[in-house]
């Protein structure tokens, strides 16, 4: 039905995003924004063998869903950059995705 098509469509965005980024097994992935697209990237990162999957979002229920879909850690939006750096020993994530779109501050953080 329609829901299955929508789910497959959104999930394919997450997969395609990470494939374009050249994801490799064990990579660390940080996803800014945990709406439908960001959550699809989180789920795809876990399925593609990422070693550390991190979500960043300010909405509590999105943070919960992100964990359920495979995020190892989820950080509040205001502290995302510092927490991602801490979690990766100061170097930052191998792959960073801006799944918010249109927000200059989030883009710069990513």
């Amino acid at each position: 039905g329609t829901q299955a098509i929508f789910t497959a469509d959104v999930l394919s965005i997450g997969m395609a995003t990470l494939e374009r980024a050249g994801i490799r097994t064990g990579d660390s992935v940080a996803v800014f924004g945990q709406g439908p697209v960001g959550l699809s990237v989180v789920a795809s990162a876990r399925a593609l063998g990422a070693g550390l999957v991190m979500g960043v979002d300010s909405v509590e229920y999105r943070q919960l869903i992100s964990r359920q879909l495979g995020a190892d850690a989820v950080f509040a939006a205001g502290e995302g950059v510092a927490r991602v750096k801490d979690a990766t020993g100061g170097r930052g994530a191998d792959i960073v995705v801006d799944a918010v779109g249109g927000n200059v501050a989030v883009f710069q953080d990513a």
Side-chain angles (χ1 to χ4, degrees):
T2 303
Q3 288 177 321
I5 291 170
F6 179 72
T7 300
D9 183 51
V10 172
L11 187 57
S12 68
I13 292 169
M15 288 282 189
T17 297
L18 292 171
E19 288 173 354
R20 278 191 149 169
I23 190 170
R24 295 177 309 221
T25 301
D27 277 353
S28 58
V29 178
V31 184
F32 286 75
Q34 296 299 286
V37 172
L39 292 170
S40 75
V41 176
V42 166
S44 297
R46 181 55 55 218
L48 293 171
L52 175 62
V53 181
M54 299 164 283
V56 179
D57 201 290
S58 59
V59 180
E60 192 172 320
Y61 78 87
R62 289 180 176 183
Q63 293 174 353
L64 175 64
I65 295 169
S66 183
R67 286 184 193 92
Q68 292 171 343
L69 291 176
D72 297 299
V74 183
F75 310 123
E79 60 186 33
V81 173
R83 299 288 303 272
V84 167
K85 284 187 176 183
D86 287 346
T88 58
R91 66 180 177 79
D94 297 312
I95 296 173
V96 180
V97 176
D98 170 5
V100 174
N103 185 314
V104 174
V106 171
F107 183 76
Q108 290 173 340
D109 284 351

